[in-house]
Amino acid sequence: FLDSFAEFNSADAIVDCGAGVTLGDILKLAIPKGLFLPVLPGTKTVSVGGAIAADIHGKNHHIDGCFSNFVISFNLLLASGEVIQCSQVKNTELFRATCGGMGLTGVILSARIQMEKVSSVTINQRSLVASDLYICLDILDAHNESKYSVAWVDCLASKQSLGRSIVYLGEHGDDDNLQMRIRRSLSVPFSTPSFLLNKYTMKAFN
């Protein structure tokens, strides 16, 4: 129940699924149909319930806002054992308290999510170099209309190079490529020793 789909309406771009379904699970079904999650964080392993509870954001936060902006409704199990439906127009206060409430209002059981239509799985990316924080902020401000934007900041830089970074800008492609590639992940059977994480290795990485 929690990790299954109740409805996948391609025409209206609406997904109805259990709270245990991951964003990656949704993308596997959505992308071939020309649909995409309006808000996507840096990982696809987040569950729908977790995305609502944390009210996650993506690299298009400045344009589209948080995940809750695209949640039509969800079913919530209260401490009393009662299950109620919450939306922007029904049980509104509980809806808003649950979005970003980190599970304090109850257990999210399922949700209906509004997707967005895209013509390609590809993202056209631009990379702009900023030599300091002021230039970085100027670049972000100048490209505020970009669908996706994020800055990779070298936090170890100092003095005149403080805040130097690379600003990444992205827009959905229009090449009609809706083939989702499944990348094989490499499993490492041990954790990286903590002594390898220091200012010298991080400086080299940056």
Side-chain angles (χ1 to χ4, degrees):
F1 166 66
L2 290 177
D3 59 356
S4 61
F5 288 87
E7 179 187 5
F8 202 108
N9 190 324
S10 301
D12 296 329
I14 294 176
V15 174
D16 190 336
C17 63
V21 171
T22 67
L23 303 187
D25 294 333
I26 294 177
L27 290 176
K28 288 177 184 177
L29 292 178
I31 288 177
K33 300 178 185 296
L35 300 176
F36 199 74
L37 282 163
V39 172
L40 193 63
T43 174
K44 297 178 291 185
T45 60
V46 176
S47 68
V48 168
I52 296 172
D55 203 7
I56 60 172
H57 67 273
K59 295 172 178 61
N60 57 331
H61 184 259
H62 62 295
I63 296 289
D64 297 314
C66 297
F67 194 82
S68 60
N69 291 346
F70 302 93
V71 176
I72 300 172
S73 65
F74 56 76
N75 291 322
L76 186 69
L77 173 63
L78 303 179
S80 64
E82 180 186 4
V83 176
I84 63 173
Q85 187 181 76
C86 303
S87 70
Q88 296 279 10
V89 295
K90 185 177 182 180
N91 295 313
T92 307
E93 290 188 6
L94 196 52
F95 177 89
R96 294 173 179 170
T98 301
C99 295
M102 300 305 290
L104 296 178
T105 59
V107 179
I108 300 170
L109 299 178
S110 61
R112 286 175 62 83
I113 304 168
Q114 182 68 58
M115 305 286 285
E116 70 174 341
K117 296 183 178 181
V118 295
S119 59
S120 175
V121 71
T122 59
I123 299 290
N124 296 324
Q125 177 185 294
R126 293 176 61 196
S127 302
L128 304 176
V129 177
S131 57
D132 59 44
L133 182 60
Y134 294 105
I135 295 178
C136 173
L137 295 176
D138 286 341
I139 291 175
L140 288 171
D141 186 58
H143 296 87
N144 192 53
E145 76 287 350
S146 294
K147 174 74 171 179
Y148 302 102
S149 64
V150 63
W152 183 280
V153 181
D154 181 1
C155 294
L156 295 179
S158 59
K159 299 181 180 180
Q160 295 178 338
S161 297
L162 180 68
R164 67 182 176 187
S165 51
I166 299 178
V167 177
Y168 297 101
L169 308 173
E171 301 286 347
H172 284 282
D174 55 3
D175 56 3
D176 296 322
N177 176 17
L178 294 174
Q179 294 183 349
M180 182 176 181
R181 293 180 298 174
I182 305 298
R183 297 181 179 179
R184 294 183 177 180
S185 58
L186 179 64
S187 177
V188 180
F190 60 87
S191 299
T192 303
S194 59
F195 69 85
L196 290 179
L197 297 177
N198 54 64
K199 65 178 182 179
Y200 302 108
T201 57
M202 292 307 298
K203 186 176 181 178
F205 179 77
N206 288 338

